[in-house]
Amino acid sequence: CISSDQRKEDYVSILKKSNKPVSSREQIRIDGVRDGILILPNKEYRLILQTSSINFELMSEDEQDALIDTYQNFLNSLNTSFQIVIRIRELDMDKYLKGFKDRINSNDELIYKKQAENYVDFVGKLVTNNKILTRRFYVVLPYKATDHDFSIVAEQLKQSAELVAKGLGRLGMQTQKLNSLEVLDLFYSFYSPSNAKRQPLREQTIQLLKEAYL
């Protein structure tokens, strides 16, 4: 049986910098996550937006030129810096196929079940020798505070996020602010991809982190 203190230590360790002298990944220190905002040392904060993508190559030359001009105007309108992160991950097809099989078993139509079983068999063979990859795009907004008033930090980052969302909207892109669990899951999948697949983070993680940091 694992105590609540031990579970708390396990979850908090997700956010701690590695003590290993040699690491293949560059580590960053995170003091906490609150309302979807990363709390870093030295009064630094980060807000992360997930964005949709557009297929630039399929556009006509005129459309591409117009998009470039719009993007340039968007950059010139910003009063803050930002970082673009592209995350490429292997799709968890086992989980997808399991959910599909569960739906098959709950359906009584024999024709539908047969077609669905053939589909599952086809996809299973397809992914045996081929990895299915997904790409996700993020915009990271920074903020350097002069004090520890979190309400001011949250308001400033909210304003920056709204400005970026409007600018990207003019490019035909949708944005969504990551919540605390999604932020933690993003870092968790970076640093422990195998564990993230076997043991995904749950809502209980957020409560444990609040108890540890707040």
Side-chain angles (χ1 to χ4, degrees):
C1 180
I2 301 176
S3 66
S4 59
D5 290 339
Q6 181 62 50
R7 289 198 303 272
K8 183 187 300 183
E9 291 176 3
D10 291 340
Y11 285 127
V12 170
S13 66
I14 295 171
L15 302 179
K16 291 298 183 180
K17 184 177 180 180
S18 174
N19 291 323
K20 296 180 180 179
V22 178
S23 175
S24 61
R25 298 183 296 252
E26 181 181 1
Q27 303 290 321
I28 66 169
R29 181 183 170 192
I30 302 173
D31 287 345
V33 181
R34 181 177 175 185
D35 296 338
I37 296 175
L38 283 169
I39 304 172
L40 306 180
N42 303 317
K43 301 178 184 178
E44 293 276 354
Y45 300 86
R46 299 290 186 272
L47 183 146
I48 304 176
L49 297 174
Q50 181 174 339
T51 75
S52 62
S53 61
I54 53 178
N55 199 323
F56 187 77
E57 295 297 329
L58 293 182
M59 295 181 175
S60 67
E61 186 173 343
D62 289 341
E63 289 173 329
Q64 290 180 350
D65 290 341
L67 189 67
I68 291 173
D69 289 339
T70 303
Y71 184 62
Q72 182 178 1
N73 292 332
F74 161 64
L75 293 178
N76 291 333
S77 69
L78 294 178
N79 58 1
T80 181
S81 60
F82 68 89
Q83 177 185 12
I84 297 175
V85 177
I86 302 175
R87 178 73 165 123
I88 301 176
R89 297 181 62 181
E90 182 180 353
L91 192 63
D92 187 358
M93 295 302 297
D94 292 338
K95 182 178 180 180
Y96 167 74
L97 291 177
K98 182 181 182 302
F100 203 86
K101 289 178 181 178
D102 292 340
R103 291 195 294 273
I104 293 175
N105 296 331
S106 62
N107 195 292
D108 296 329
E109 293 290 337
L110 294 179
I111 296 179
Y112 171 80
K113 292 184 67 173
K114 184 61 177 179
Q115 291 177 338
E117 288 170 357
N118 290 337
Y119 171 75
V120 170
D121 183 62
F122 169 76
V123 174
K125 292 178 179 178
L126 179 66
V127 301
T128 299
N129 299 316
N130 300 279
K131 292 182 178 180
I132 308 299
L133 303 178
T134 61
R135 286 180 174 84
R136 293 186 178 181
F137 304 87
Y138 303 93
V139 173
V140 183
L141 301 174
Y143 184 75
K144 173 70 173 180
T146 56
D147 55 44
H148 290 289
D149 190 337
F150 187 79
S151 62
I152 295 178
V153 172
E155 181 60 30
Q156 291 297 321
L157 284 172
K158 178 183 177 182
Q159 292 179 10
S160 296
E162 290 176 348
L163 182 63
V164 169
K166 288 180 180 179
L168 295 180
R170 297 187 186 98
L171 298 172
M173 301 168 63
Q174 303 296 319
T175 61
Q176 179 180 351
K177 175 181 174 293
L178 297 190
N179 60 36
S180 295
L181 184 59
E182 291 168 335
V183 170
L184 289 175
D185 183 63
L186 179 62
F187 280 90
Y188 187 34
S189 65
F190 267 123
Y191 298 149
S192 301
S194 58
N195 288 339
K197 184 176 180 180
R198 294 194 306 268
Q199 298 176 327
L201 297 182
R202 304 297 183 189
E203 289 293 344
Q204 296 92 316
T205 308
I206 302 301
Q207 185 58 38
L208 289 169
L209 289 168
K210 287 181 178 179
E211 294 173 2
Y213 288 110
L214 301 180

